[in-house]
Amino acid sequence: MKLVRYGNPGKEKPGLIDADGKLRDLSAVVKDIGPDQLGDAALAKLRRLKTATLPLVKGSPRLGSPVAGVGKFIAIGLNYADHAAESGLPIPPEPVVFMKATSCIQGPNDAVMLPKGSVKSDWEVELGVVIGSRARYVSQKDALNFVAGYCTINDVSEREFQIERGGTWDKGKGCDTFGPLGPWLVTRDDVPNPQKLAMWLDLNGTRMQTGNTRTMIFSVAKIVSYCSQFMTLLPGDVITTGTPPGVGLGMKPPMYLKKGDVMTLGIEGLGEQRQLVVPFKL
Ligand code: ZN
């Protein structure tokens, strides 16, 4: 199933994309797509619906983040060996875990705003994992059973804030608009192998990142299990799992986002995003 949330920011309604690619409204069935709708039983109920009977949504409304009520937005750093190399950093012996502020989450095609004073804003296409049920000290073998589904994420990052301003990375990772999610939450039954997904990102039509989740250092199962050793993962939590090479920081010379740039990115089976880069505005 491809679940979506559509409509104006803060007023999104739940929906799904049917087999013909059409958007259908789910508001008569569920209140939203959020923590209460992501467990196995709740998803099974949605799967039993006769989609042809759901109302078609007219036009092409804006899409919001496909999951509401995200409690934690966890991120994994340097999870592709070739990206660690381009960042000039060693391959980590254990997953690097940091947090993105949940206030940065937005729809897949909403504009990305350069933060005040930003000179080093950068792009990162990543596989997003949405937690479906409470996970605490889960084994790697069981870990994927706690996943509701997957989505495309752009882990937008301000490198000066992240690397040159002291402390941990979080300052450069959670700026407003730095978390485009979607377009869809694709439930895990439709993603039989999360370690075999092609991914890409174009800047102004030029291919910058080409990758595949098969070259992750730590697999999705390992990451879910690993994070659950340090914190309880709850339904609606999102983990973004690291980026393949080709970010602006790794270019020679480095290259960063400027107003008017357009990022387009996608992951096999999980849909595409498009963001216009706009200047800072309060
Ligand atoms: Zn990242």
Side-chain angles (χ1 to χ4, degrees):
M1 268 188 309
K2 289 178 180 146
L3 300 173
V4 297
R5 296 174 62 254
Y6 69 94
N8 292 331
K11 305 254 196 286
E12 291 93 345
K13 292 178 173 181
L16 62 74
I17 306 293
D18 71 15
D20 300 322
K22 290 186 177 132
L23 172 56
R24 290 182 182 268
D25 180 53
L26 275 176
S27 15
V29 186
V30 283
K31 264 209 292 215
D32 206 341
I33 306 295
D36 293 343
Q37 288 78 35
L38 297 174
D40 285 348
L43 289 177
K45 216 164 138 187
L46 291 182
R47 212 168 285 119
R48 284 195 296 270
L49 292 170
K50 292 195 170 54
T51 46
T53 65
L54 297 167
L56 277 169
V57 177
K58 289 198 188 78
S60 337
R62 166 192 173 269
L63 295 179
S65 160
V67 50
V70 177
K72 292 194 283 300
F73 191 1
I74 303 163
I76 306 299
L78 308 173
N79 198 25
Y80 290 77
D82 25 14
H83 171 62
E86 74 174 349
S87 305
L89 293 164
I91 291 174
E94 291 195 43
V96 172
V97 178
F98 63 94
M99 293 287 186
K100 281 176 80 78
T102 53
S103 47
C104 80
I105 292 172
Q106 63 169 7
N109 305 313
D110 293 344
V112 163
M113 183 178 71
L114 298 171
K116 195 173 185 176
S118 165
V119 289
K120 296 187 177 176
S121 287
D122 201 349
W123 52 86
E124 298 191 345
V125 60
E126 304 198 1
L127 172 67
V129 178
V130 180
I131 299 298
S133 45
R134 190 172 189 270
R136 200 167 162 257
Y137 297 103
V138 298
S139 69
Q140 191 171 325
K141 188 170 137 286
D142 291 339
L144 295 186
N145 295 327
F146 294 83
V147 171
Y150 301 92
C151 63
T152 302
I153 294 184
N154 189 353
D155 176 19
V156 185
S157 306
E158 215 296 342
R159 304 301 184 191
E160 191 193 28
F161 299 1
Q162 177 193 347
I163 301 165
E164 299 168 36
R165 300 283 292 272
T168 61
W169 291 0
D170 300 23
K171 284 182 275 188
K173 291 287 192 173
C175 307
D176 290 350
T177 76
F178 274 22
L181 262 65
W184 316 313
L185 165 58
V186 181
T187 51
R188 75 167 190 272
D189 53 314
D190 284 336
V191 186
N193 185 358
Q195 302 308 145
K196 210 178 133 190
L197 304 173
M199 59 213 293
W200 55 272
L201 182 144
D202 289 351
L203 180 66
N204 304 322
T206 302
R207 183 63 37 104
M208 307 304 282
Q209 292 191 272
T210 309
N212 193 296
T213 56
R214 95 168 83 82
T215 68
M216 279 184 182
I217 299 168
F218 304 109
S219 68
V220 172
K222 167 73 188 182
I223 288 167
V224 170
S225 166
Y226 185 83
C227 290
S228 82
Q229 313 301 310
F230 302 102
M231 61 192 97
T232 300
L233 300 175
L234 297 170
D237 286 351
V238 173
I239 308 175
T240 190
T241 58
T243 200
V247 300
L249 172 72
M251 304 282 146
K252 294 202 175 29
M255 185 177 163
Y256 296 110
L257 294 170
K258 53 186 191 316
K259 124 183 135 170
D261 282 347
V262 174
M263 295 179 276
T264 46
L265 55 143
I267 299 183
E268 186 180 356
L270 303 184
E272 294 182 14
Q273 306 187 343
R274 178 185 188 280
Q275 294 114 23
L276 173 67
V277 177
V278 299
F280 173 77
K281 188 168 152 257
L282 262 182

